[in-house]
Amino acid sequence: MSKAWSNRFDKSLDPFIEQFNSSINFDKNLIIEDLDCSIAHARMLGINQIISVKESEIIINGLNEIKNEYLKGEFIPCFPSEDIHYCIEEKLINLIGDLGKKLHTGRSRNDQVGTDLRLWLRKKIDEIIDLIIDLQKALLSLADKNLYTLIPGYTHLQRAQPLSFAHHLLAYIEMLQRDIDRLHNVRDRVNISPLGAAALAGTKIKIDRFVTAKELGFKDIYKNSLDAVSDRDFAVEFVAASSLIMTHLSRLSEEIILWVTDEFSFATLTDKCATGSSLMPQKKNPDVPELIRGKTGRVFGHLQALLTIIKGLPLAYNKDFQEDKEPIFDTVKTVADCLKAMNILIKDGLIIEKENLLRSVEEDFSNSTDLADYLVSKNVPFREAYQTVGSIVKLCLSKKKLLKDLSLAEFQDFNEKFEEDIFEKLTPRNVVDSRNSIGGTGFEQVSLQLKSWKSKLLN
Ligand code: ARG
């Protein structure tokens, strides 16, 4: 097939440069969207009598035939076509003859590639949102079984205050919800049609940009043709939103990696998600969360790459934009894979060691704040109560005791307002249950949160 460029070229490209220039090996991903974009364009050309309705029908049938052949595996886009756009055009001319040469009337690959990419990404955003919802449901189901399972809460990775394990899991559902909201927001800006901006300046052909936008399901069109062909903000926004999804998955992964250590023993990996060591027969490794944590770096890298590609570009289209595709494609694959893997890990990969969790919150000083709060309830100023409890903890440490092991007399040596009911107040279950402020870890609050997420996710 001869090159699609104009007759001004006498000689063919250097073979290495031909490879270097081509994007077909990755932009073949956009084949369905490229065909849909061309079908919409061809129909509009017919409606506006730029070509005859008959011609438009033949072109559309040809494009549908290419789609069928591709879906049946009979047509495989590949080099030496330069990119998917030329590849389809060449194939169409092959199939229907010279009439195929009319398809590119009134458009350029610059508005075409922008349209394809937006169509592709719009669909992928919807798929990623569904995967996030699946993960939220898995977390919700685990949370629902663990309202009364207690887990140490940490600040600075030091024991702070005990929590309902459900509360801990619900925090991730909240983060994921913000991720969904961000994706919806990005989707709104992806969902705008650049088609008809042509190379950069618009066209004198009497096209109708609203017709193609409507057929392709875009909610609006770009107002400025230069902006239309050179805007990649939507790609940056998508990868930025994905970076936050990966950040959230990575934090959860890190916690799971800690939970399954011998030191924590809060959970055990099932065989479905654990891998062995080639050398140490006793080992069960958390490869799944480690891989998710590790893959986060790729997505951050793609964000950096996109920003750097765009930052120095004068208006309008520059070939640098060809470099936007691989970061976007790899981000979509990485995020989708990690969401699926985390879903499996949460659903089938973890056994929560409830006994160990319960024991862990019995054996620390995470009820110290409650001791201070007790004195506050007896009208002792908080800062004074705080100092008193500091001294009590110091005494316990020197005697290798926990707060609950002290006698009432020992408590009263520090403040006579301590009474017998102090022991009741110090049990981890009561410590958790009493934190009933809105959004707190008290069982009543967490039940409300569970209920509201159930009605949102499981309706
Ligand atoms: N393969 C190109 C890309 O991905 C398509 C657009 C080419 N446009 C051009 N004027 N060379 O960006």
Side-chain angles (χ1 to χ4, degrees):
M1 177 66 44
S2 66
K3 269 273 160 246
W5 303 325
S6 75
N7 293 334
R8 69 166 279 179
F9 290 89
D10 296 325
K11 303 224 169 67
S12 52
L13 264 178
D14 173 279
F16 179 78
I17 296 301
E18 193 177 358
Q19 291 270 5
F20 183 70
N21 192 46
S22 86
S23 53
I24 186 77
N25 281 340
F26 49 87
D27 67 18
K28 60 186 175 196
N29 255 359
L30 300 173
I31 180 165
I32 298 294
E33 289 70 26
D34 195 72
L35 287 163
D36 288 345
C37 170
S38 289
I39 289 169
H41 181 69
R43 198 178 331 273
M44 181 278 295
L45 291 177
I47 292 170
N48 280 24
Q49 290 163 13
I50 297 158
I51 60 177
S52 74
V53 172
K54 184 78 213 152
E55 287 176 323
S56 152
E57 274 169 11
I58 296 170
I59 292 175
I60 291 171
N61 288 341
L63 292 165
N64 277 322
E65 169 63 26
I66 298 174
K67 199 187 267 190
N68 284 337
E69 280 186 33
Y70 170 74
L71 293 174
K72 283 191 279 179
E74 289 163 8
F75 165 56
I76 298 166
C78 62
F79 192 78
S81 289
E82 180 186 325
D83 58 23
I84 191 63
H85 325 295
Y86 274 145
C87 177
I88 301 293
E89 196 175 332
E90 288 155 7
K91 172 83 181 161
L92 182 71
I93 295 166
N94 237 325
L95 208 63
I96 66 168
D98 275 356
L99 176 57
K101 295 180 182 171
K102 287 196 172 182
L103 172 63
H104 211 53
T105 313
R107 75 169 185 190
S108 150
R109 279 185 301 159
N110 298 351
D111 56 344
Q112 192 180 352
V113 69
T115 307
D116 293 0
L117 199 52
R118 284 167 178 81
L119 288 174
W120 186 87
L121 191 55
R122 189 178 68 186
K123 192 169 79 199
K124 295 296 168 184
I125 287 176
D126 292 342
E127 289 171 17
I128 291 174
I129 289 174
D130 285 344
L131 290 173
I132 300 178
I133 294 172
D134 288 345
L135 178 56
Q136 283 182 311
K137 287 181 182 165
L139 287 164
L140 182 61
S141 145
L142 188 61
D144 202 33
K145 292 182 204 117
N146 286 287
L147 173 61
Y148 297 107
T149 307
L150 305 187
I151 184 171
Y154 296 84
T155 60
H156 315 268
L157 201 54
Q158 303 285 323
R159 296 276 178 100
Q161 291 169 346
L163 302 169
S164 152
F165 185 43
H167 190 55
H168 194 116
L169 294 168
L170 283 164
Y172 283 99
I173 300 186
E174 299 280 348
M175 291 177 229
L176 292 169
Q177 189 57 41
R178 287 196 294 278
D179 291 328
I180 291 176
D181 295 347
R182 255 186 297 273
L183 285 178
H184 279 301
N185 211 271
V186 175
R187 190 190 192 283
D188 282 345
R189 277 183 292 278
V190 170
N191 201 16
I192 297 173
S193 173
L195 195 57
L200 78 166
T203 171
K204 63 178 65 165
I205 311 275
K206 297 275 175 272
I207 58 167
D208 187 335
R209 295 187 57 203
F210 288 107
V211 168
T212 46
K214 185 158 183 241
E215 170 155 352
L216 295 170
F218 286 112
K219 84 163 195 292
D220 204 352
I221 62 170
Y222 274 85
K223 307 287 187 288
N224 179 304
S225 62
L226 289 166
D227 184 39
V229 292
S230 64
D231 171 27
R232 294 293 183 276
D233 295 1
F234 69 94
V236 172
E237 285 190 63
F238 169 71
V239 180
S242 299
S243 298
L244 277 169
I245 299 173
M246 291 304 299
T247 301
H248 295 151
L249 294 180
S250 185
R251 293 183 76 177
L252 178 55
S253 295
E254 173 65 13
E255 297 215 73
I256 293 171
I257 292 163
L258 290 173
W259 293 345
V260 301
T261 56
D262 283 343
E263 286 74 7
F264 276 76
S265 296
F266 292 170
T268 313
L269 291 166
T270 67
D271 290 353
K272 278 197 181 172
C273 287
T275 40
S277 154
S278 62
L279 179 90
M280 297 164 282
Q282 85 283 10
K283 295 223 32 208
K284 222 174 176 189
N285 292 331
D287 286 21
V288 176
E290 285 175 319
L291 271 175
I292 296 172
R293 190 178 58 182
K295 282 176 190 287
T296 303
R298 313 162 68 107
V299 176
F300 292 4
H302 295 324
L303 179 60
Q304 187 64 40
L306 281 177
L307 287 166
T308 312
I309 288 164
I310 300 164
K311 77 175 258 297
L313 297 187
L315 294 178
Y317 178 86
N318 300 270
K319 187 79 167 188
D320 312 46
F321 283 141
Q322 186 162 289
E323 288 294 306
D324 64 1
K325 277 157 220 73
E326 288 167 292
I328 298 175
F329 295 160
D330 188 65
T331 297
V332 165
K333 177 167 168 38
T334 305
V335 170
D337 286 355
C338 290
L339 284 165
K340 283 182 206 160
M342 183 59 90
N343 190 359
I344 296 171
L345 182 62
I346 297 293
K347 263 195 198 139
D348 288 327
L350 287 177
I351 299 161
I352 303 303
E353 301 293 351
K354 294 192 185 194
E355 294 292 305
N356 292 352
L357 281 163
L358 204 60
R359 208 170 321 118
S360 73
V361 291
E362 294 281 358
E363 289 161 4
D364 61 22
F365 288 94
S366 60
N367 48 4
S368 303
T369 317
D370 298 77
L371 201 57
D373 288 346
Y374 180 89
L375 290 177
V376 167
S377 76
K378 307 240 162 164
N379 216 16
V380 179
F382 175 75
R383 194 49 71 199
E384 191 183 318
Y386 165 89
Q387 292 296 3
T388 304
V389 176
S391 308
I392 299 176
V393 171
K394 196 170 172 186
L395 172 79
C396 286
L397 289 172
S398 72
K399 292 193 164 186
K400 296 208 180 329
K401 282 182 170 182
L402 293 166
L403 291 174
K404 63 178 180 191
D405 302 328
L406 293 180
S407 67
L408 182 59
E410 281 172 306
F411 277 122
Q412 284 171 339
D413 281 346
F414 288 93
N415 191 313
E416 63 205 15
K417 290 184 173 163
F418 282 118
E419 289 175 64
E420 193 57 43
D421 63 344
I422 183 59
F423 294 102
E424 184 62 18
K425 298 272 194 270
L426 291 181
T427 66
R429 193 170 162 121
N430 285 339
V431 165
V432 172
D433 198 27
S434 58
R435 294 213 154 57
N436 207 21
S437 55
I438 294 174
T441 198
F443 302 124
E444 199 184 315
Q445 286 300 318
V446 179
S447 298
L448 286 173
Q449 293 168 30
L450 282 171
K451 204 169 142 210
S452 112
W453 278 112
K454 273 187 220 165
S455 74
K456 193 161 178 179
L457 292 172
L458 312 174
N459 43 29

Short mmCIF file of all heavy atoms in Angstrom, two decimals, residues 196-219:
data_model
loop_
_atom_site.label_atom_id
_atom_site.label_comp_id
_atom_site.label_asym_id
_atom_site.label_seq_id
_atom_site.Cartn_x
_atom_site.Cartn_y
_atom_site.Cartn_z
N GLY A 196 -14.25 17.73 13.92
CA GLY A 196 -14.65 18.87 13.09
C GLY A 196 -13.71 20.05 13.28
O GLY A 196 -13.79 21.04 12.55
N ALA A 197 -12.81 19.96 14.25
CA ALA A 197 -11.80 21.00 14.40
C ALA A 197 -10.79 20.89 13.27
O ALA A 197 -10.01 21.80 13.02
CB ALA A 197 -11.10 20.87 15.76
N ALA A 198 -10.83 19.72 12.60
CA ALA A 198 -9.91 19.42 11.49
C ALA A 198 -8.45 19.53 11.96
O ALA A 198 -8.17 19.18 13.09
CB ALA A 198 -10.21 20.30 10.29
N ALA A 199 -7.55 20.02 11.12
CA ALA A 199 -6.13 20.00 11.51
C ALA A 199 -5.87 20.92 12.69
O ALA A 199 -5.20 20.56 13.66
CB ALA A 199 -5.25 20.39 10.33
N LEU A 200 -6.42 22.14 12.62
CA LEU A 200 -6.29 23.10 13.73
C LEU A 200 -7.22 24.29 13.60
O LEU A 200 -7.54 24.94 14.57
CB LEU A 200 -4.84 23.61 13.86
CG LEU A 200 -4.33 24.68 12.88
CD1 LEU A 200 -3.03 25.27 13.39
CD2 LEU A 200 -4.17 24.16 11.49
N ALA A 201 -7.69 24.55 12.36
CA ALA A 201 -8.35 25.83 12.12
C ALA A 201 -9.82 25.70 11.78
O ALA A 201 -10.46 26.68 11.44
CB ALA A 201 -7.62 26.54 10.99
N GLY A 202 -10.36 24.45 11.87
CA GLY A 202 -11.71 24.25 11.36
C GLY A 202 -11.63 23.97 9.86
O GLY A 202 -10.53 23.75 9.32
N THR A 203 -12.77 23.98 9.17
CA THR A 203 -12.77 23.63 7.75
C THR A 203 -13.81 24.46 7.00
O THR A 203 -14.79 24.92 7.58
CB THR A 203 -13.08 22.12 7.56
OG1 THR A 203 -13.29 21.85 6.18
CG2 THR A 203 -14.32 21.68 8.33
N LYS A 204 -13.55 24.63 5.68
CA LYS A 204 -14.56 25.35 4.90
C LYS A 204 -15.64 24.41 4.37
O LYS A 204 -16.65 24.85 3.85
CB LYS A 204 -13.91 26.16 3.78
CG LYS A 204 -13.18 25.33 2.75
CD LYS A 204 -12.60 26.21 1.64
CE LYS A 204 -11.53 27.15 2.18
NZ LYS A 204 -10.71 27.74 1.12
N ILE A 205 -15.39 23.10 4.50
CA ILE A 205 -16.42 22.13 4.13
C ILE A 205 -17.60 22.31 5.09
O ILE A 205 -17.38 22.51 6.29
CB ILE A 205 -15.88 20.67 4.26
CG1 ILE A 205 -14.52 20.52 3.56
CG2 ILE A 205 -16.91 19.65 3.86
CD1 ILE A 205 -14.54 20.23 2.10
N LYS A 206 -18.83 22.23 4.57
CA LYS A 206 -19.99 22.55 5.41
C LYS A 206 -20.39 21.36 6.30
O LYS A 206 -21.42 20.73 6.10
CB LYS A 206 -21.19 22.98 4.54
CG LYS A 206 -20.93 24.25 3.73
CD LYS A 206 -21.23 25.50 4.56
CE LYS A 206 -20.86 26.79 3.83
NZ LYS A 206 -19.45 27.22 4.05
N ILE A 207 -19.53 21.08 7.25
CA ILE A 207 -19.80 19.97 8.18
C ILE A 207 -20.77 20.42 9.27
O ILE A 207 -21.02 21.62 9.42
CB ILE A 207 -18.49 19.47 8.84
CG1 ILE A 207 -17.81 20.62 9.59
CG2 ILE A 207 -17.56 18.86 7.81
CD1 ILE A 207 -16.72 20.21 10.52
N ASP A 208 -21.31 19.45 10.01
CA ASP A 208 -22.12 19.79 11.18
C ASP A 208 -21.56 19.05 12.39
O ASP A 208 -21.72 17.84 12.53
CB ASP A 208 -23.58 19.39 10.94
CG ASP A 208 -24.49 19.89 12.06
OD1 ASP A 208 -23.98 20.10 13.18
OD2 ASP A 208 -25.70 20.06 11.81
N ARG A 209 -20.88 19.79 13.21
CA ARG A 209 -20.19 19.16 14.36
C ARG A 209 -21.17 18.59 15.38
O ARG A 209 -20.84 17.66 16.12
CB ARG A 209 -19.25 20.17 15.03
CG ARG A 209 -18.11 20.59 14.10
CD ARG A 209 -17.11 21.45 14.84
NE ARG A 209 -16.59 20.76 16.01
CZ ARG A 209 -16.06 21.38 17.06
NH1 ARG A 209 -15.98 22.70 17.09
NH2 ARG A 209 -15.61 20.69 18.09
N PHE A 210 -22.37 19.18 15.43
CA PHE A 210 -23.35 18.68 16.41
C PHE A 210 -23.88 17.30 16.03
O PHE A 210 -24.18 16.49 16.89
CB PHE A 210 -24.50 19.68 16.59
CG PHE A 210 -24.07 20.91 17.32
CD1 PHE A 210 -23.93 22.13 16.66
CD2 PHE A 210 -23.80 20.87 18.69
CE1 PHE A 210 -23.52 23.26 17.34
CE2 PHE A 210 -23.38 22.00 19.38
CZ PHE A 210 -23.24 23.20 18.71
N VAL A 211 -23.98 17.06 14.73
CA VAL A 211 -24.49 15.75 14.27
C VAL A 211 -23.54 14.63 14.71
O VAL A 211 -23.96 13.62 15.27
CB VAL A 211 -24.70 15.75 12.74
CG1 VAL A 211 -24.95 14.34 12.23
CG2 VAL A 211 -25.87 16.64 12.37
N THR A 212 -22.24 14.83 14.45
CA THR A 212 -21.28 13.77 14.84
C THR A 212 -21.21 13.67 16.37
O THR A 212 -21.17 12.57 16.93
CB THR A 212 -19.88 14.06 14.27
OG1 THR A 212 -19.55 15.43 14.48
CG2 THR A 212 -19.81 13.74 12.80
N ALA A 213 -21.22 14.82 17.05
CA ALA A 213 -21.15 14.78 18.53
C ALA A 213 -22.33 13.99 19.09
O ALA A 213 -22.18 13.16 19.99
CB ALA A 213 -21.14 16.19 19.09
N LYS A 214 -23.50 14.23 18.52
CA LYS A 214 -24.70 13.56 19.03
C LYS A 214 -24.62 12.06 18.78
O LYS A 214 -24.86 11.25 19.68
CB LYS A 214 -25.94 14.16 18.35
CG LYS A 214 -27.23 13.62 18.91
CD LYS A 214 -28.40 14.56 18.65
CE LYS A 214 -29.63 13.97 19.30
NZ LYS A 214 -30.68 13.68 18.34
N GLU A 215 -24.26 11.70 17.56
CA GLU A 215 -24.18 10.26 17.24
C GLU A 215 -23.18 9.54 18.15
O GLU A 215 -23.38 8.39 18.52
CB GLU A 215 -23.82 10.04 15.76
CG GLU A 215 -23.49 8.58 15.48
CD GLU A 215 -23.71 8.14 14.04
OE1 GLU A 215 -24.26 8.92 13.24
OE2 GLU A 215 -23.33 6.99 13.73
N LEU A 216 -22.11 10.23 18.51
CA LEU A 216 -21.09 9.59 19.33
C LEU A 216 -21.37 9.73 20.83
O LEU A 216 -20.56 9.31 21.65
CB LEU A 216 -19.71 10.15 18.96
CG LEU A 216 -19.26 9.83 17.53
CD1 LEU A 216 -18.00 10.61 17.16
CD2 LEU A 216 -19.02 8.33 17.34
N GLY A 217 -22.47 10.36 21.16
CA GLY A 217 -22.88 10.45 22.57
C GLY A 217 -22.14 11.50 23.37
O GLY A 217 -22.15 11.47 24.60
N PHE A 218 -21.47 12.46 22.69
CA PHE A 218 -20.80 13.54 23.43
C PHE A 218 -21.84 14.54 23.91
O PHE A 218 -22.83 14.79 23.22
CB PHE A 218 -19.79 14.26 22.52
CG PHE A 218 -18.54 13.47 22.25
CD1 PHE A 218 -18.26 12.99 20.97
CD2 PHE A 218 -17.62 13.22 23.27
CE1 PHE A 218 -17.09 12.28 20.72
CE2 PHE A 218 -16.45 12.51 23.03
CZ PHE A 218 -16.20 12.03 21.75
N LYS A 219 -21.57 15.13 25.09
CA LYS A 219 -22.59 16.04 25.60
C LYS A 219 -22.38 17.47 25.11
O LYS A 219 -23.26 18.31 25.24
CB LYS A 219 -22.68 15.96 27.13
CG LYS A 219 -21.70 16.78 27.89
CD LYS A 219 -22.14 16.95 29.35
CE LYS A 219 -21.36 18.07 30.02
NZ LYS A 219 -19.93 17.80 30.23
#
